[in-house]
Amino acid sequence: MTNTPTSAPAPRLAHTAQLTAAELREARTFLDTVFDGDFSDDDWDHTVGGMHALLTDAHGIAAHGSVVQRRVVHAGRSLRIGYVEGVAVRADLRRRGLGGAVMAALEEVVERSYAYGALSASEEGAALYAGRGWQVWPGRLGVLGPAGEERLAEEEGTTYVWAAHPRGGLGALDPERPLLFDWRDGDVL
């Protein structure tokens, strides 16, 4: 696992089922605010159902991220991966290590439960992920949708993969073969 800055507290880890209705409403409101209203119902649906890493302060949620299970078909195998969603830090607290602390907690979940981690990064978030050892997937991406395999060319170059077990690395994944994600409503990645 990568280093967590010593200045940032350790996030609380909780499964969606362990969060109260009020905590879930607060998390949804937080993500709506941090993403300037560009966080849809589908985005929220993709964020729940797994483990959340939450940092709070006197003003409420300071940082959030979650990891949910996804299936990826690659080179004839179905891989269980931890997909990172809803990583955000409140605007007044950015650049203080909170995003790194959230990611460290989520990486620990991925390391203990999955073969790989994956996420789709915004331009703003890309440096955080790359600095923690996440690598841009260099190959094709797709989804196994209702009509069969569909290419996701617009996600290529912004989807990152992380090897949960460093000695295995990404070498077991063949960039000449696509990563085919399971279907879900809304943005599939």
Side-chain angles (χ1 to χ4, degrees), residues 26-146:
E26 182 183 8
R28 173 62 196 263
T29 299
F30 170 78
L31 292 168
D32 284 337
T33 301
V34 171
F35 288 108
D36 295 323
D38 191 23
F39 196 80
S40 70
D41 289 342
D42 288 327
D43 293 329
W44 176 247
D45 187 54
H46 301 168
T47 302
V48 296
M51 295 297 290
H52 298 259
L54 293 157
L55 282 168
T56 58
D57 65 12
H59 303 288
I61 297 176
H64 172 276
S66 69
V67 61
V68 297
Q69 181 175 304
R70 298 282 308 270
R71 283 286 181 179
V72 172
V73 174
H74 180 70
R77 294 187 59 214
S78 176
L79 303 172
R80 191 172 50 120
I81 63 162
Y83 203 87
V84 174
E85 296 281 4
V87 175
V89 176
R90 206 170 62 223
D92 63 320
L93 296 174
R94 292 186 182 143
R95 306 282 183 236
R96 296 184 188 183
L98 301 183
V102 165
M103 284 304 297
L106 298 177
E107 288 163 357
E108 187 172 330
V109 171
V110 171
E111 187 173 48
R112 290 178 178 211
S113 303
Y114 303 100
Y116 297 96
L119 57 83
S120 182
S122 65
E123 273 186 48
E124 283 182 349
L128 169 66
Y129 308 124
R132 299 189 62 76
W134 290 72
Q135 298 174 25
V136 173
W137 176 249
R140 284 187 315 118
L141 294 169
V143 63
L144 295 172

